[in-house]
């Protein structure tokens, strides 16, 4: 292991509560919106944290791009695409690459117990690796499922770098959609510009649930019926699509399988 | 949440934290509860839209030109480049025109 000079410079806006949130994320001890909000904020701020070595200064964001995105993403995606069952096998694949990232950071001498702030770098890299890798796995899983269901759609090709970063992940019935894991979705939250979103989250006491979010104009093109509800209605959304108004936004939320059935009916009528 | 800071964790404790995180994520998906997800998603989406600037895109010969409908002190546009938030966005055609 290298023992070269190393220093971490955290942005001034990074406060003790952010550190607690980072550790809470790793320890799976985040509870409630406030904890999660701090964790998202913490990882946002850490984008601009800097690793200083004898070789120079690099932000955490640049290090992620160099060490993970540029070096590992293509390899991971090829292995991911080769999995027979993405849902059950991809978490272990993610973990193998995560351990590889830990080894790489250790080999470079950037995991140093005598400099506890180096732990922020590992936390940051693993967080974003989780966000991206699991997001890609969900995309592959959804694309395979839609294809198997006989639903007509156009998806971007994850193995082509330019397509991988396309604005939308897929198009169905002329509507642009995105596939996101819940954590990544919130972390990169931006104006809800897509017609629909396919997102995986925890609901109804289940570890994995797929839900589709539609912006009301897009929902109208599917000619759907809804019931008004709020966030408390989400556990029952399997029963019928729920129209939610919250923080100035209006969304329709329905079960992924119910959305597929509606699209398939629509596409059958188009034939 | 844990009360210890990174500086207060000894090497073994930090190793256990990392190993535990990877092991846990290797057997699950680490997703958020629905009600927290929607609340934070919409809060963050709302907070990040302070202003809308419409951009008109045109060509002068082979050169792509971006024209905003208003000025903003923290957004600089020149030719096919947009400087915003410390990042330079360069717009290019995906295939030759």
């Amino acid at each position: 292991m290298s023992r070269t000079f190393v220093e971490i410079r955290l942005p001034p806006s990074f406060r003790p509560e952010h550190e607690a949130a980072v550790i809470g994320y790793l320890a799976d001890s985040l509870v409630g919106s406030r904890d999660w909000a701090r964790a998202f904020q913490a990882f946002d701020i850490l984008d601009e944290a800097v690793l200083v070595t004898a070789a120079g200064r690099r932000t955490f964001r640049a290090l992620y791009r160099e060490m993970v995105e540029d070096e590992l993403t293509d390899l991971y995606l090829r292995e991911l695409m080769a999995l027979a069952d993405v849902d059950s096998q991809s978490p272990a694949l993610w973990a193998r690459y995560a351990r590889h990232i830990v080894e790489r950071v250790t080999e470079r001498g950037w995991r140093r117990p005598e400099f506890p702030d180096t732990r922020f770098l590992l936390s940051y890299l693993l967080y974003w690796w989780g966000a991206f890798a699991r997001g890609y796995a969900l995309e592959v899983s959804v694309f395979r499922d839609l294809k198997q269901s006989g639903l007509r759609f156009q998806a971007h090709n994850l193995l082509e770098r330019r397509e991988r970063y396309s604005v939308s992940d897929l198009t169905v019935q002329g509507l642009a959609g995105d596939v996101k894991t819940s954590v990544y979705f919130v972390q990169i939250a931006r104006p809800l510009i897509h017609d629909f979103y396919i997102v995986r989250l925890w609901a109804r006491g289940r570890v994995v649930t797929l839900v589709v979010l539609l912006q009301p104009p897009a929902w109208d093109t599917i000619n759907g019926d809804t019931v008004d509800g709020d966030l408390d209605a989400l556990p029952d959304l399997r029963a019928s699509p729920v129209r939610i108004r919250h923080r100035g936004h209006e969304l329709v939320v329905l079960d992924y399988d119910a959305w597929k059935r509606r699209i398939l009916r629509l596409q059958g009528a188009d034939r | 949440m844990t009360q210890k800071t990174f500086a207060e964790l000894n090497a073994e404790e930090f190793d256990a934290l990392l190993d535990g995180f990877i092991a846990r994520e290797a057997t699950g998906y680490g997703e958020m509860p629905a009600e927290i997800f929607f609340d934070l998603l919409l809060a963050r989406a709302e907070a990040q839209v302070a202003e809308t600037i419409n951009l008109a895109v045109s060509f002068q010969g082979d050169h792509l030109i971006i024209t905003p409908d208003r000025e903003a002190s923290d957004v600089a546009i020149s030719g096919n480049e947009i400087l915003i938030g410390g990042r330079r966005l360069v717009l290019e055609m995906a295939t030759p025109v």
Side-chain angles (χ1 to χ4, degrees):
Chain A
M1 183 190 303
S2 170
R3 286 291 165 192
T4 55
F5 166 75
V6 60
E7 181 186 344
I8 299 291
R9 292 183 186 161
L10 298 172
S13 55
F14 194 85
R15 305 180 64 80
E17 56 264 34
H18 295 127
E19 178 173 3
V22 169
I23 296 171
Y25 174 77
L26 294 176
D28 195 25
S29 61
L30 299 178
V31 179
S33 291
R34 194 178 69 168
D35 281 1
W36 277 99
R38 280 187 178 154
F40 289 124
Q41 197 178 33
F43 287 109
D44 277 344
I45 296 170
L46 287 177
D47 277 347
E48 301 304 323
V50 173
L51 171 75
V52 185
T53 66
R57 303 158 43 100
R58 271 169 293 178
T59 63
F60 282 13
R61 183 195 293 155
L63 285 166
Y64 180 85
R65 194 171 298 141
E66 172 193 318
M67 292 183 63
V68 181
E69 193 172 313
D70 291 349
E71 290 188 19
L72 300 181
T73 303
D74 285 332
L75 295 171
Y76 167 79
L77 284 172
R78 279 197 283 273
E79 287 202 61
L80 181 69
M81 300 287 201
L83 295 179
D85 185 338
V86 170
D87 285 342
S88 67
Q89 295 174 299
S90 63
L93 180 64
W94 170 86
R96 177 154 59 79
Y97 276 81
R99 292 190 180 97
H100 179 68
I101 291 168
V102 174
E103 288 168 10
R104 293 287 306 280
V105 169
T106 306
E107 286 165 6
R108 292 189 180 200
W110 298 341
R111 181 187 184 187
R112 303 273 284 275
E114 69 273 31
F115 300 121
D117 281 356
T118 57
R119 293 165 175 173
F120 287 111
L121 175 60
L122 258 180
S123 306
Y124 177 88
L125 296 177
L126 290 180
Y127 173 81
W128 280 109
W129 175 242
F132 279 108
R134 282 200 296 261
Y136 292 138
L138 179 60
E139 277 191 50
V140 172
S141 173
V142 167
F143 294 162
R144 285 183 182 180
D145 178 70
L146 293 179
K147 189 174 179 184
Q148 194 172 27
S149 301
L151 194 143
R152 294 197 303 276
F153 67 102
Q154 290 84 44
H156 67 169
N157 181 355
L158 286 171
L159 294 176
E160 291 289 337
R161 183 168 286 225
R162 267 186 179 269
E163 285 198 38
R164 192 186 307 160
Y165 302 132
S166 59
V167 174
S168 60
D169 296 335
L170 77 166
T171 306
V172 180
Q173 295 296 106
L175 302 175
D178 235 5
V179 181
K180 293 276 180 285
T181 57
S182 56
V183 174
Y184 182 54
F185 200 165
V186 175
Q187 184 72 58
I188 60 140
R190 54 173 67 108
L192 301 173
I193 59 172
H194 292 94
D195 297 311
F196 68 96
Y197 297 83
I198 298 175
V199 59
R200 186 177 60 196
L201 37 70
W202 175 273
R204 304 193 292 266
R206 294 168 57 187
V207 177
V208 180
T209 303
L210 290 169
V211 179
V212 177
L213 309 175
L214 296 169
Q215 298 209 54
W219 178 249
D220 292 339
T221 67
I222 299 176
N223 195 25
D225 52 318
T226 62
V227 295
D228 287 342
D230 53 24
L231 299 186
D232 294 335
L234 288 170
D236 299 320
L237 61 81
R238 185 178 285 277
S240 57
V242 178
R243 188 180 293 264
I244 293 172
R245 295 174 182 86
H246 188 69
R247 292 187 183 273
H249 293 268
E250 187 176 340
L251 300 171
V252 174
V253 183
L254 77 162
D255 183 78
Y256 169 74
D257 287 324
W259 172 80
K260 275 196 310 182
R261 286 194 295 274
R262 285 169 186 259
I263 295 293
L264 284 167
R265 269 204 304 273
L266 205 59
Q267 292 185 340
D270 286 347
R271 285 196 172 103
Chain B
M1 287 193 285
T2 180
Q3 297 300 305
K4 285 192 174 182
T5 65
F6 275 143
E8 292 166 342
L9 292 173
N10 62 36
E12 290 73 26
E13 287 171 325
F14 180 66
D15 289 349
L17 182 67
L18 270 193
D19 290 346
F21 170 70
I22 293 173
R24 190 176 64 249
E25 298 292 305
T27 57
Y29 297 101
E31 301 294 0
M32 299 172 63
E35 62 279 13
I36 296 175
F37 165 77
F38 281 103
D39 187 39
L40 292 183
L41 175 74
L42 297 180
R44 285 172 68 88
E46 187 178 44
Q48 292 180 15
V49 186
E51 184 182 12
T52 300
I53 300 174
N54 296 300
L55 305 176
V57 178
S58 59
F59 282 90
Q60 288 182 359
D62 290 339
H63 299 290
L64 190 151
I65 304 295
I66 305 164
T67 309
D69 66 348
R70 72 191 68 187
E71 286 190 10
S73 59
D74 53 350
V75 180
I77 298 174
S78 175
N80 66 332
E81 296 185 1
I82 304 169
L83 291 167
I84 182 168
R87 290 183 172 174
R88 185 168 68 112
L89 312 180
V90 182
L91 272 65
E92 297 171 347
M93 291 297 292
T95 54
V97 180

